[in-house]
Amino acid sequence: MFSVEVRQEARGTVMALRGELDFDSAVQLDEAGHGVLEPGRRKEPVVVDMAGLTFCDSSGISALLRLYQQLSTQERRLLLAAVPRTVLRLFTLTGLDQIFPVHPDAHAALAGGPPGPHPATGSAPSAQQNEKETA
């Protein structure tokens, strides 16, 4: 079962994901995204907290990319927090780690600091770093 909890915090909006983000549930993320895209919102960032995410397939990644694009048109940022190791690996392999800033948790993302190490992996390597390591 998948769910999205949206909460407003002082420095931005947090969308906490729980369960499996796949073809069947991506529509729920799209619907929740429409709520944070309402006209008149501040230029605050949106943090997608993935601490409760157990699975994410290409449909889920596509939903995240749609949200990123929609927020970009409003000059807002999409930040990711607590990305599971398997999803982080997909982002790194596909270069999406260059698009999505990844933070260890939602609090760190909202604090406005640079992306930091992921607690599950100890680091959030960029695609460029991976290329250097495999060369």
Side-chain angles (χ1 to χ4, degrees):
M1 177 115 155
F2 179 77
S3 66
V4 181
E5 173 195 331
V6 179
R7 65 182 186 272
Q8 186 63 46
E9 298 203 3
R11 293 186 176 178
T13 302
V14 176
M15 299 173 71
L17 309 185
R18 305 249 183 280
E20 297 184 358
L21 179 56
D22 57 19
F23 179 79
D24 293 325
S25 59
V27 68
Q28 289 176 269
L29 180 58
D30 288 335
E31 290 171 356
H34 290 301
V36 301
L37 292 165
E38 293 174 351
R41 288 233 180 206
R42 301 178 304 195
K43 298 289 185 203
E44 65 193 13
V46 173
V47 176
V48 176
D49 183 350
M50 299 181 157
L53 196 66
T54 58
F55 176 80
C56 182
D57 69 6
S58 60
S59 298
I61 291 172
S62 293
L64 289 168
L65 282 168
R66 282 191 298 276
L67 181 58
Y68 168 82
Q69 291 170 335
Q70 292 166 333
L71 288 167
S72 294
T73 65
Q74 294 182 352
E75 299 177 15
R76 296 171 65 193
R77 297 182 331 146
L78 177 67
L79 309 171
L80 302 183
V83 179
R85 183 180 299 202
T86 55
V87 177
L88 186 62
R89 179 166 163 69
L90 282 174
F91 286 174
T92 302
L93 291 172
T94 60
L96 290 173
D97 62 332
Q98 301 298 308
I99 294 173
F100 296 123
V102 177
H103 297 268
D105 57 43
H107 177 73
L110 290 173
H118 185 275
T121 63
S123 66
S126 70
Q128 293 170 344
Q129 288 171 328
N130 282 342
E131 288 174 14
K132 289 178 188 174
E133 290 173 4
T134 58

